[in-house]
Amino acid sequence: VQLQASGGGLVQPGGSLRLSCVHSGPTLDFNGIAWFRQAPGKERERVGCIAISSSDGRTSYADSVKGRFTISRDNAKNTVYLQMNSLKPDDMAVYYCAAAIDSQCRVLKRWGQGTKVTVSS
């Protein structure tokens, strides 16, 4: 499986941005897609996860983004989205998507290249 994240850019505080993660390869190889982020000088943080193989597309989120970020999927396009609303300067980071063996995204299989999000006025 290969992954490519895109959609990063500059946004003002309070603004919105949507990131995309296109995944390719046999879908039998993975069951979840996770989003992570890493800010300069900080540890990598898991943002959330979406189940790919299940019919309900179950999601989970970090407390820091719950209520502001939404992960969705379009399996026909092999794409997972991260909709980010009410962005704060603390959200500024490089965002990565990763494929997981399990639908809860606990066992990561492959990482994509990141996309940078800058939140600044």
Side-chain angles (χ1 to χ4, degrees):
V1 59
Q2 300 200 359
L3 306 104
Q4 179 65 52
S6 64
L10 173 64
V11 62
Q12 292 187 344
S16 298
L17 207 58
R18 188 177 80 162
L19 306 183
S20 300
C21 175
V22 178
H23 52 86
S24 61
T27 54
L28 292 177
D29 285 354
F30 60 99
N31 291 286
I33 295 287
W35 284 98
F36 286 80
R37 65 186 181 183
Q38 188 162 23
K42 293 187 177 181
E43 302 232 337
R44 185 174 62 198
E45 177 187 19
R46 172 174 156 151
V47 174
C49 167
I50 186 165
I52 292 297
S53 56
S54 70
S55 58
D56 61 2
R58 190 167 298 180
T59 55
S60 61
Y61 300 94
D63 287 343
S64 58
V65 306
K66 203 171 290 184
R68 300 188 299 123
F69 290 13
T70 302
I71 301 175
S72 62
R73 67 184 188 181
D74 185 338
N75 284 353
K77 296 182 179 180
N78 289 343
T79 303
V80 168
Y81 302 100
L82 177 64
Q83 177 67 43
M84 305 185 293
N85 299 327
S86 303
L87 282 161
K88 307 173 183 179
D90 283 350
D91 296 318
M92 188 160 58
V94 177
Y95 284 72
Y96 303 87
C97 57
I101 293 174
D102 62 303
S103 59
Q104 290 82 39
C105 302
R106 291 170 297 191
V107 182
L108 301 176
K109 180 184 177 77
R110 186 68 56 87
W111 290 84
Q113 291 190 338
T115 184
K116 187 175 181 180
V117 172
T118 303
V119 183
S120 175
S121 54

